[in-house]
PDB file of all heavy atoms in Angstrom:
ATOM      1  N   THR A   1      23.123  -9.352  -5.436  1.00  0.00           N
ATOM      2  CA  THR A   1      22.478  -8.622  -6.407  1.00  0.00           C
ATOM      3  C   THR A   1      21.616  -7.332  -5.899  1.00  0.00           C
ATOM      4  O   THR A   1      21.074  -6.608  -6.666  1.00  0.00           O
ATOM      5  CB  THR A   1      21.495  -9.332  -7.360  1.00  0.00           C
ATOM      6  OG1 THR A   1      20.289  -9.756  -6.630  1.00  0.00           O
ATOM      7  CG2 THR A   1      22.228 -10.644  -7.812  1.00  0.00           C
ATOM      8  N   MET A   2      21.607  -7.350  -4.627  1.00  0.00           N
ATOM      9  CA  MET A   2      20.887  -6.249  -3.912  1.00  0.00           C
ATOM     10  C   MET A   2      21.741  -5.333  -3.196  1.00  0.00           C
ATOM     11  O   MET A   2      22.819  -5.708  -2.740  1.00  0.00           O
ATOM     12  CB  MET A   2      19.776  -6.830  -2.923  1.00  0.00           C
ATOM     13  CG  MET A   2      18.834  -7.837  -3.698  1.00  0.00           C
ATOM     14  SD  MET A   2      17.573  -8.567  -2.576  1.00  0.00           S
ATOM     15  CE  MET A   2      16.455  -7.176  -2.427  1.00  0.00           C
ATOM     16  N   SER A   3      21.362  -4.061  -3.007  1.00  0.00           N
ATOM     17  CA  SER A   3      22.244  -3.034  -2.413  1.00  0.00           C
ATOM     18  C   SER A   3      22.205  -3.189  -0.844  1.00  0.00           C
ATOM     19  O   SER A   3      21.342  -3.833  -0.240  1.00  0.00           O
ATOM     20  CB  SER A   3      21.730  -1.676  -2.849  1.00  0.00           C
ATOM     21  OG  SER A   3      20.495  -1.432  -2.204  1.00  0.00           O
ATOM     22  N   GLU A   4      23.184  -2.370  -0.289  1.00  0.00           N
ATOM     23  CA  GLU A   4      23.155  -2.427   1.239  1.00  0.00           C
ATOM     24  C   GLU A   4      21.845  -1.748   1.722  1.00  0.00           C
ATOM     25  O   GLU A   4      21.306  -2.111   2.740  1.00  0.00           O
ATOM     26  CB  GLU A   4      24.387  -1.574   1.695  1.00  0.00           C
ATOM     27  CG  GLU A   4      24.489  -1.422   3.231  1.00  0.00           C
ATOM     28  CD  GLU A   4      25.700  -0.677   3.763  1.00  0.00           C
ATOM     29  OE1 GLU A   4      26.793  -0.889   3.063  1.00  0.00           O
ATOM     30  OE2 GLU A   4      25.575   0.134   4.532  1.00  0.00           O
ATOM     31  N   ALA A   5      21.418  -0.661   1.036  1.00  0.00           N
ATOM     32  CA  ALA A   5      20.142  -0.081   1.351  1.00  0.00           C
ATOM     33  C   ALA A   5      18.952  -1.109   1.366  1.00  0.00           C
ATOM     34  O   ALA A   5      18.044  -1.005   2.232  1.00  0.00           O
ATOM     35  CB  ALA A   5      19.875   1.082   0.517  1.00  0.00           C
ATOM     36  N   ASP A   6      19.030  -1.908   0.337  1.00  0.00           N
ATOM     37  CA  ASP A   6      17.916  -2.972   0.239  1.00  0.00           C
ATOM     38  C   ASP A   6      18.052  -3.942   1.545  1.00  0.00           C
ATOM     39  O   ASP A   6      16.981  -4.285   2.120  1.00  0.00           O
ATOM     40  CB  ASP A   6      18.097  -3.802  -1.016  1.00  0.00           C
ATOM     41  CG  ASP A   6      17.783  -3.082  -2.245  1.00  0.00           C
ATOM     42  OD1 ASP A   6      16.954  -2.141  -2.175  1.00  0.00           O
ATOM     43  OD2 ASP A   6      18.163  -3.486  -3.375  1.00  0.00           O
ATOM     44  N   SER A   7      19.299  -4.252   1.906  1.00  0.00           N
ATOM     45  CA  SER A   7      19.531  -5.176   2.989  1.00  0.00           C
ATOM     46  C   SER A   7      18.854  -4.583   4.314  1.00  0.00           C
ATOM     47  O   SER A   7      18.294  -5.201   5.077  1.00  0.00           O
ATOM     48  CB  SER A   7      20.977  -5.479   3.122  1.00  0.00           C
ATOM     49  OG  SER A   7      21.374  -6.399   2.127  1.00  0.00           O
ATOM     50  N   ARG A   8      19.221  -3.236   4.464  1.00  0.00           N
ATOM     51  CA  ARG A   8      18.705  -2.555   5.605  1.00  0.00           C
ATOM     52  C   ARG A   8      17.136  -2.428   5.668  1.00  0.00           C
ATOM     53  O   ARG A   8      16.533  -2.668   6.696  1.00  0.00           O
ATOM     54  CB  ARG A   8      19.356  -1.161   5.784  1.00  0.00           C
ATOM     55  CG  ARG A   8      20.825  -1.205   5.989  1.00  0.00           C
ATOM     56  CD  ARG A   8      21.324   0.284   6.185  1.00  0.00           C
ATOM     57  NE  ARG A   8      22.694   0.257   6.218  1.00  0.00           N
ATOM     58  CZ  ARG A   8      23.555   0.038   7.347  1.00  0.00           C
ATOM     59  NH1 ARG A   8      22.857  -0.202   8.525  1.00  0.00           N
ATOM     60  NH2 ARG A   8      24.853   0.074   7.291  1.00  0.00           N
ATOM     61  N   LYS A   9      16.583  -2.145   4.565  1.00  0.00           N
ATOM     62  CA  LYS A   9      15.151  -2.090   4.483  1.00  0.00           C
ATOM     63  C   LYS A   9      14.550  -3.354   4.694  1.00  0.00           C
ATOM     64  O   LYS A   9      13.462  -3.502   5.267  1.00  0.00           O
ATOM     65  CB  LYS A   9      14.732  -1.496   3.094  1.00  0.00           C
ATOM     66  CG  LYS A   9      13.230  -1.397   2.930  1.00  0.00           C
ATOM     67  CD  LYS A   9      12.636  -0.375   3.913  1.00  0.00           C
ATOM     68  CE  LYS A   9      11.200  -0.203   3.735  1.00  0.00           C
ATOM     69  NZ  LYS A   9      10.494   0.681   4.727  1.00  0.00           N
ATOM     70  N   LEU A  10      15.112  -4.439   4.109  1.00  0.00           N
ATOM     71  CA  LEU A  10      14.538  -5.812   4.403  1.00  0.00           C
ATOM     72  C   LEU A  10      14.525  -6.128   5.836  1.00  0.00           C
ATOM     73  O   LEU A  10      13.489  -6.652   6.367  1.00  0.00           O
ATOM     74  CB  LEU A  10      15.389  -6.896   3.714  1.00  0.00           C
ATOM     75  CG  LEU A  10      15.106  -7.016   2.105  1.00  0.00           C
ATOM     76  CD1 LEU A  10      16.100  -7.967   1.587  1.00  0.00           C
ATOM     77  CD2 LEU A  10      13.655  -7.581   1.923  1.00  0.00           C
ATOM     78  N   ILE A  11      15.557  -5.910   6.604  1.00  0.00           N
ATOM     79  CA  ILE A  11      15.512  -6.053   8.051  1.00  0.00           C
ATOM     80  C   ILE A  11      14.540  -5.223   8.646  1.00  0.00           C
ATOM     81  O   ILE A  11      13.857  -5.754   9.574  1.00  0.00           O
ATOM     82  CB  ILE A  11      17.009  -5.937   8.611  1.00  0.00           C
ATOM     83  CG1 ILE A  11      17.972  -6.944   7.998  1.00  0.00           C
ATOM     84  CG2 ILE A  11      16.946  -6.014  10.105  1.00  0.00           C
ATOM     85  CD1 ILE A  11      19.410  -6.653   8.373  1.00  0.00           C
ATOM     86  N   ALA A  12      14.355  -3.943   8.295  1.00  0.00           N
ATOM     87  CA  ALA A  12      13.456  -3.150   8.905  1.00  0.00           C
ATOM     88  C   ALA A  12      12.034  -3.626   8.755  1.00  0.00           C
ATOM     89  O   ALA A  12      11.183  -3.619   9.656  1.00  0.00           O
ATOM     90  CB  ALA A  12      13.551  -1.637   8.360  1.00  0.00           C
ATOM     91  N   VAL A  13      11.712  -4.133   7.501  1.00  0.00           N
ATOM     92  CA  VAL A  13      10.418  -4.611   7.262  1.00  0.00           C
ATOM     93  C   VAL A  13      10.119  -5.927   8.006  1.00  0.00           C
ATOM     94  O   VAL A  13       9.132  -6.142   8.612  1.00  0.00           O
ATOM     95  CB  VAL A  13      10.215  -4.940   5.711  1.00  0.00           C
ATOM     96  CG1 VAL A  13       8.812  -5.538   5.451  1.00  0.00           C
ATOM     97  CG2 VAL A  13      10.322  -3.612   4.947  1.00  0.00           C
ATOM     98  N   TYR A  14      11.175  -6.762   8.132  1.00  0.00           N
ATOM     99  CA  TYR A  14      11.148  -7.995   9.057  1.00  0.00           C
ATOM    100  C   TYR A  14      10.847  -7.604  10.420  1.00  0.00           C
ATOM    101  O   TYR A  14       9.977  -8.306  11.090  1.00  0.00           O
ATOM    102  CB  TYR A  14      12.431  -8.795   8.919  1.00  0.00           C
ATOM    103  CG  TYR A  14      12.479  -9.972   9.682  1.00  0.00           C
ATOM    104  CD1 TYR A  14      11.831 -11.202   9.273  1.00  0.00           C
ATOM    105  CD2 TYR A  14      13.233 -10.086  10.851  1.00  0.00           C
ATOM    106  CE1 TYR A  14      11.849 -12.372   9.971  1.00  0.00           C
ATOM    107  CE2 TYR A  14      13.298 -11.331  11.581  1.00  0.00           C
ATOM    108  CZ  TYR A  14      12.568 -12.452  11.108  1.00  0.00           C
ATOM    109  OH  TYR A  14      12.692 -13.565  11.866  1.00  0.00           O
ATOM    110  N   TRP A  15      11.402  -6.637  10.987  1.00  0.00           N
ATOM    111  CA  TRP A  15      11.115  -6.155  12.253  1.00  0.00           C
ATOM    112  C   TRP A  15       9.670  -5.748  12.437  1.00  0.00           C
ATOM    113  O   TRP A  15       9.014  -5.940  13.439  1.00  0.00           O
ATOM    114  CB  TRP A  15      12.050  -4.911  12.665  1.00  0.00           C
ATOM    115  CG  TRP A  15      13.508  -5.387  13.029  1.00  0.00           C
ATOM    116  CD1 TRP A  15      14.077  -6.633  12.779  1.00  0.00           C
ATOM    117  CD2 TRP A  15      14.521  -4.500  13.499  1.00  0.00           C
ATOM    118  NE1 TRP A  15      15.401  -6.469  13.266  1.00  0.00           N
ATOM    119  CE2 TRP A  15      15.723  -5.236  13.636  1.00  0.00           C
ATOM    120  CE3 TRP A  15      14.538  -3.227  13.840  1.00  0.00           C
ATOM    121  CZ2 TRP A  15      16.893  -4.693  14.168  1.00  0.00           C
ATOM    122  CZ3 TRP A  15      15.745  -2.612  14.274  1.00  0.00           C
ATOM    123  CH2 TRP A  15      16.902  -3.441  14.447  1.00  0.00           C
ATOM    124  N   GLY A  16       9.198  -5.005  11.421  1.00  0.00           N
ATOM    125  CA  GLY A  16       7.773  -4.641  11.339  1.00  0.00           C
ATOM    126  C   GLY A  16       6.894  -5.793  11.396  1.00  0.00           C
ATOM    127  O   GLY A  16       5.835  -5.727  12.124  1.00  0.00           O
ATOM    128  N   TYR A  17       7.277  -6.786  10.675  1.00  0.00           N
ATOM    129  CA  TYR A  17       6.458  -8.035  10.753  1.00  0.00           C
ATOM    130  C   TYR A  17       6.452  -8.647  12.107  1.00  0.00           C
ATOM    131  O   TYR A  17       5.354  -9.142  12.631  1.00  0.00           O
ATOM    132  CB  TYR A  17       7.012  -9.020   9.814  1.00  0.00           C
ATOM    133  CG  TYR A  17       5.990 -10.032   9.247  1.00  0.00           C
ATOM    134  CD1 TYR A  17       6.441 -10.909   8.184  1.00  0.00           C
ATOM    135  CD2 TYR A  17       4.783 -10.258   9.738  1.00  0.00           C
ATOM    136  CE1 TYR A  17       5.559 -11.865   7.615  1.00  0.00           C
ATOM    137  CE2 TYR A  17       3.997 -11.259   9.181  1.00  0.00           C
ATOM    138  CZ  TYR A  17       4.362 -12.078   8.221  1.00  0.00           C
ATOM    139  OH  TYR A  17       3.536 -13.025   7.601  1.00  0.00           O
ATOM    140  N   VAL A  18       7.520  -8.714  12.847  1.00  0.00           N
ATOM    141  CA  VAL A  18       7.661  -9.172  14.248  1.00  0.00           C
ATOM    142  C   VAL A  18       6.735  -8.413  15.111  1.00  0.00           C
ATOM    143  O   VAL A  18       6.027  -8.915  15.985  1.00  0.00           O
ATOM    144  CB  VAL A  18       9.122  -9.139  14.710  1.00  0.00           C
ATOM    145  CG1 VAL A  18       9.177  -9.461  16.226  1.00  0.00           C
ATOM    146  CG2 VAL A  18       9.868 -10.179  13.894  1.00  0.00           C
ATOM    147  N   THR A  19       6.759  -7.065  14.989  1.00  0.00           N
ATOM    148  CA  THR A  19       5.902  -6.236  15.813  1.00  0.00           C
ATOM    149  C   THR A  19       4.378  -6.512  15.645  1.00  0.00           C
ATOM    150  O   THR A  19       3.538  -6.607  16.479  1.00  0.00           O
ATOM    151  CB  THR A  19       6.211  -4.736  15.550  1.00  0.00           C
ATOM    152  OG1 THR A  19       7.489  -4.581  16.104  1.00  0.00           O
ATOM    153  CG2 THR A  19       5.178  -3.863  16.363  1.00  0.00           C
ATOM    154  N   LEU A  20       4.010  -6.633  14.233  1.00  0.00           N
ATOM    155  CA  LEU A  20       2.672  -6.999  13.873  1.00  0.00           C
ATOM    156  C   LEU A  20       2.176  -8.276  14.605  1.00  0.00           C
ATOM    157  O   LEU A  20       1.079  -8.329  15.207  1.00  0.00           O
ATOM    158  CB  LEU A  20       2.455  -7.133  12.391  1.00  0.00           C
ATOM    159  CG  LEU A  20       1.206  -7.717  11.820  1.00  0.00           C
ATOM    160  CD1 LEU A  20      -0.011  -6.824  12.236  1.00  0.00           C
ATOM    161  CD2 LEU A  20       1.198  -8.004  10.344  1.00  0.00           C
ATOM    162  N   ILE A  21       3.056  -9.319  14.552  1.00  0.00           N
ATOM    163  CA  ILE A  21       2.584 -10.603  15.205  1.00  0.00           C
ATOM    164  C   ILE A  21       2.578 -10.421  16.674  1.00  0.00           C
ATOM    165  O   ILE A  21       1.715 -10.980  17.340  1.00  0.00           O
ATOM    166  CB  ILE A  21       3.671 -11.670  14.794  1.00  0.00           C
ATOM    167  CG1 ILE A  21       3.477 -11.998  13.286  1.00  0.00           C
ATOM    168  CG2 ILE A  21       3.409 -12.876  15.538  1.00  0.00           C
ATOM    169  CD1 ILE A  21       4.461 -12.936  12.714  1.00  0.00           C
ATOM    170  N   ASP A  22       3.527  -9.661  17.192  1.00  0.00           N
ATOM    171  CA  ASP A  22       3.540  -9.426  18.749  1.00  0.00           C
ATOM    172  C   ASP A  22       2.206  -8.810  19.174  1.00  0.00           C
ATOM    173  O   ASP A  22       1.617  -9.173  20.243  1.00  0.00           O
ATOM    174  CB  ASP A  22       4.733  -8.638  19.076  1.00  0.00           C
ATOM    175  CG  ASP A  22       4.746  -8.343  20.682  1.00  0.00           C
ATOM    176  OD1 ASP A  22       5.270  -9.182  21.338  1.00  0.00           O
ATOM    177  OD2 ASP A  22       4.248  -7.300  21.073  1.00  0.00           O
ATOM    178  N   GLU A  23       1.753  -7.923  18.374  1.00  0.00           N
ATOM    179  CA  GLU A  23       0.432  -7.169  18.756  1.00  0.00           C
ATOM    180  C   GLU A  23      -0.698  -8.287  18.719  1.00  0.00           C
ATOM    181  O   GLU A  23      -1.655  -8.158  19.524  1.00  0.00           O
ATOM    182  CB  GLU A  23       0.158  -6.021  17.828  1.00  0.00           C
ATOM    183  CG  GLU A  23       1.172  -4.856  18.037  1.00  0.00           C
ATOM    184  CD  GLU A  23       0.938  -3.785  16.987  1.00  0.00           C
ATOM    185  OE1 GLU A  23       0.079  -3.950  16.080  1.00  0.00           O
ATOM    186  OE2 GLU A  23       1.686  -2.740  17.061  1.00  0.00           O
ATOM    187  N   GLN A  24      -0.698  -9.077  17.690  1.00  0.00           N
ATOM    188  CA  GLN A  24      -1.846 -10.121  17.627  1.00  0.00           C
ATOM    189  C   GLN A  24      -1.731 -11.054  18.849  1.00  0.00           C
ATOM    190  O   GLN A  24      -2.762 -11.587  19.420  1.00  0.00           O
ATOM    191  CB  GLN A  24      -1.759 -10.815  16.256  1.00  0.00           C
ATOM    192  CG  GLN A  24      -1.849  -9.753  15.113  1.00  0.00           C
ATOM    193  CD  GLN A  24      -2.872  -8.675  15.244  1.00  0.00           C
ATOM    194  OE1 GLN A  24      -3.940  -9.017  15.573  1.00  0.00           O
ATOM    195  NE2 GLN A  24      -2.371  -7.491  15.130  1.00  0.00           N
ATOM    196  N   ILE A  25      -0.490 -11.452  19.244  1.00  0.00           N
ATOM    197  CA  ILE A  25      -0.278 -12.345  20.351  1.00  0.00           C
ATOM    198  C   ILE A  25      -0.820 -11.640  21.660  1.00  0.00           C
ATOM    199  O   ILE A  25      -1.481 -12.263  22.472  1.00  0.00           O
ATOM    200  CB  ILE A  25       1.153 -12.799  20.509  1.00  0.00           C
ATOM    201  CG1 ILE A  25       1.538 -13.676  19.426  1.00  0.00           C
ATOM    202  CG2 ILE A  25       1.488 -13.349  21.918  1.00  0.00           C
ATOM    203  CD1 ILE A  25       3.096 -13.975  19.371  1.00  0.00           C
ATOM    204  N   GLY A  26      -0.560 -10.394  21.757  1.00  0.00           N
ATOM    205  CA  GLY A  26      -1.129  -9.614  22.860  1.00  0.00           C
ATOM    206  C   GLY A  26      -2.656  -9.617  22.945  1.00  0.00           C
ATOM    207  O   GLY A  26      -3.234  -9.856  24.027  1.00  0.00           O
ATOM    208  N   ARG A  27      -3.264  -9.623  21.794  1.00  0.00           N
ATOM    209  CA  ARG A  27      -4.795  -9.591  21.775  1.00  0.00           C
ATOM    210  C   ARG A  27      -5.290 -10.934  22.276  1.00  0.00           C
ATOM    211  O   ARG A  27      -6.310 -11.038  23.052  1.00  0.00           O
ATOM    212  CB  ARG A  27      -5.290  -9.334  20.346  1.00  0.00           C
ATOM    213  CG  ARG A  27      -4.982  -7.961  19.839  1.00  0.00           C
ATOM    214  CD  ARG A  27      -5.419  -7.835  18.338  1.00  0.00           C
ATOM    215  NE  ARG A  27      -6.895  -8.141  18.332  1.00  0.00           N
ATOM    216  CZ  ARG A  27      -7.469  -9.015  17.340  1.00  0.00           C
ATOM    217  NH1 ARG A  27      -6.651  -9.573  16.533  1.00  0.00           N
ATOM    218  NH2 ARG A  27      -8.743  -9.200  17.319  1.00  0.00           N
ATOM    219  N   VAL A  28      -4.614 -12.088  21.913  1.00  0.00           N
ATOM    220  CA  VAL A  28      -5.037 -13.381  22.314  1.00  0.00           C
ATOM    221  C   VAL A  28      -4.817 -13.608  23.785  1.00  0.00           C
ATOM    222  O   VAL A  28      -5.669 -14.119  24.431  1.00  0.00           O
ATOM    223  CB  VAL A  28      -4.432 -14.437  21.475  1.00  0.00           C
ATOM    224  CG1 VAL A  28      -4.671 -15.806  21.913  1.00  0.00           C
ATOM    225  CG2 VAL A  28      -4.709 -14.277  19.978  1.00  0.00           C
ATOM    226  N   VAL A  29      -3.632 -13.276  24.240  1.00  0.00           N
ATOM    227  CA  VAL A  29      -3.331 -13.411  25.761  1.00  0.00           C
ATOM    228  C   VAL A  29      -4.315 -12.548  26.567  1.00  0.00           C
ATOM    229  O   VAL A  29      -4.764 -13.006  27.713  1.00  0.00           O
ATOM    230  CB  VAL A  29      -1.888 -13.095  26.012  1.00  0.00           C
ATOM    231  CG1 VAL A  29      -1.584 -13.071  27.427  1.00  0.00           C
ATOM    232  CG2 VAL A  29      -1.023 -14.074  25.292  1.00  0.00           C
TER     233      VAL A  29
END
């Protein structure tokens, strides 16, 4: 029920979430 553009954006946002968490891990280490 979602478009190809939606699918691409979802993955892009997921990647952003991964980067956010990586930065916080970096602070702790």
